[in-house]
Amino acid sequence: MSERVRNGAYDDWLDAIGDDEGYYVECENGHGWLPPRRVCPDCGSRELSEEPLPEAGEVATHSTVHVPTPQFEDDAPYVIAVAHFGPASITGMVRGADPEDVEIGTVVGVEVGERATTGDRAVVFRPR
Amino acid sequence: MSDPRVAGASVTRFGKHPERTGRDLFAEAGLAALDRSGVPADDVDALYYGNFMGEIAEHQGHQGPLMAEAVGLTVPATRYEAACASSGAAIRDAVRAIRNGEQEVVLVGGMERMTNVGTAAATDALAIAADDLYEVRAGMTFPAAYALMARSYFDEHGGTREDLAHVAVKNHEHALVNDNAQLQKEISVDEVLDAPMVAEPLGLYDACPITDGASAAVLTSEDYAERHGLDAPVAVTGTGQDGDNLALHDRQNYAATPAAAGAVAEAYADAGIDADDVDFAEVHDCFTIAEVLAIESIGLYEPGKGISAAREGETTRHGETPINLSGGLKAKGHPVGATGVAQLVTITKVLEGTHARADAVPAADVGVAHNAGGTAASATIHVFEVKA
Ligand SMILES: [Zn+2]
């Protein structure tokens, strides 16, 4: 699904990940989120700052997807995972690993890849 | 505070009706509910209606008045959208309107038309109950989200695909006598385990089917039911709703559904019951793991203990607390926006003793409906009791 109008904060965040300058949004109490956030959903703090995303994250849960949405038809099967990067958590596809080798606790980096199906940008984790 | 009564309730047959319009599906359920209630259409004050993907399936927004018209009503009519909990949310507001005395008679219901768009488009449509930017564009599907929860549950508490398979086998067995069910077919644990994978560790038989269907019920105030001599012994005695972060990754724990637990606490307090009083429940088993999380959140099992319930036979129709006597979403089908009210229909029939599986709980007087939207970022709970 290519689009002409940017989803500002989301596309800015992808740009930053692509430039190896990924960040997350953190409140004064250490709760981490992906942008845009004006308020912390956990504690209600509005004192939010952009913090550099840790270079390495840890897979918290994962699944090999065999039946994708149409936008990922040619990508399947692929591994989707949630990974913790410090206080922020991210959902992405794991590439560069045999699906059988992806486990809870696998250490990954995050980068911007392309969907095989549409060429659109996608969040990609790669074991490191 | 008077407890609203269920005066009449009905569902269409759930299944594949690709050529039937949404308005026709809802008209069938709505008119049948009105007929069974004995309430004249002129007395209906409002329609509370659940629908999730009407824009995608039928290019139709603004479905409230359309559906009211389909059942011959010109009343305030509002569509509720809370993903798979859409009509659970509709029930809740209907109950509140009756309790606070603003309305005496309301029609609640829901409808979803899904099979006409095909499996790929329906998969796409269901996915948008998740966070589009940070989940769907990352490759999330609805089954994948529950697969992530299942993996996390297995890691935290233990459990196997075989444990989950018993949930599917149980619900298929329950549906064998439900003539409105989409899948009236006995299955075995081995068939579930051998089915093609959808999103590991969930396979095809861990997932509910894609379904067309509608549900409706007439709710009245207790006073209205008494004044008009309605045969309406079942009351809605408790309602609860809670929410959670939309994206799964933004939650603390992927092996639990705190929104459902929050809704349960509210609904049980409202009804003045606790989990020990629950005789049976209809829970939101869009995937087998979802039933496990549901029976834990409604307080029948401690966290981590629900996984073995179906395998041990505790939640079958022969067990102590039968779960999903209708066959659940898994076998009965899951026309998303109709599901919450369809649970109400089943529970009412079981409590009245007219359901095909009512003999499983012949002395039941408390039934609970658990309806979850997305990965339970929305959850509604309703308690139903038999009143004299
Ligand atoms: Zn905070």
Side-chain angles (χ1 to χ4, degrees), chain A residues 35 61-64 66 78 91, chain B residues 134 139 148 151 198 200 249-250:
Chain A
T61 183
H62 60 93
S63 170
T64 302
H66 296 269
Y78 58 89
T91 299
Chain B
Y134 284 108
L148 294 174
R151 180 89 63 195
V198 174
E200 295 177 39
H249 62 233
D250 281 332

Side-chain angles (χ1 to χ4, degrees), chain A residues 27-31 33 40 42-45:
Chain A
C27 77
E28 58 198 340
N29 293 313
H31 304 130
W33 311 95
C40 173
D42 263 12
C43 67
S45 168

Side-chain angles (χ1 to χ4, degrees), chain B residues 74-274:
Chain B
T74 311
V75 294
T78 305
R79 167 181 164 189
Y80 285 74
E81 193 276 295
C84 316
S86 294
S87 59
I91 294 169
R92 178 169 165 80
D93 268 11
V95 166
R96 296 201 290 196
I98 291 172
R99 279 178 164 182
N100 70 23
E102 286 178 28
Q103 292 165 346
E104 278 203 303
V105 179
V106 303
L107 185 65
V108 295
M111 185 284 298
E112 211 70 65
R113 186 179 179 195
M114 303 178 74
T115 68
N116 61 314
V117 299
T119 302
T123 301
D124 191 29
L126 288 167
I128 64 176
D131 181 334
D132 181 64
L133 294 179
Y134 284 108
E135 292 187 297
V136 182
R137 289 172 197 233
M140 190 71 93
T141 67
F142 190 40
Y146 274 92
L148 294 174
M149 297 168 87
R151 180 89 63 195
S152 189
Y153 187 102
F154 289 170
D155 181 61
E156 193 170 330
H157 302 299
T160 63
R161 290 196 62 225
E162 191 171 337
D163 292 325
L164 295 179
H166 281 277
V167 175
V169 169
K170 166 183 73 74
N171 289 346
H172 274 254
E173 201 276 336
H174 286 174
L176 290 177
V177 297
N178 179 353
D179 290 336
N180 291 318
Q182 181 166 6
L183 304 172
Q184 279 185 296
K185 173 176 178 263
E186 199 157 14
I187 58 171
S188 68
V189 167
D190 283 342
E191 282 175 287
V192 179
L193 294 175
D194 293 343
M197 295 307 292
V198 174
E200 295 177 39
L202 303 180
L204 189 61
Y205 281 21
D206 287 290
C208 66
I210 290 168
T211 311
D212 306 308
S215 56
V218 177
L219 304 186
T220 76
S221 68
E222 193 175 315
D223 182 54
Y224 181 97
E226 276 171 16
R227 283 199 330 267
H228 293 81
L230 300 182
D231 178 22
V234 176
V236 189
T237 60
T239 179
Q241 181 173 355
D242 206 352
D244 205 344
N245 302 99
L246 184 65
L248 189 66
H249 62 233
D250 281 332
R251 305 198 195 143
Q252 294 301 313
N253 180 348
Y254 312 133
T257 51
V264 165
E266 183 184 5
Y268 286 8
D270 190 21
I273 67 157
D274 59 37

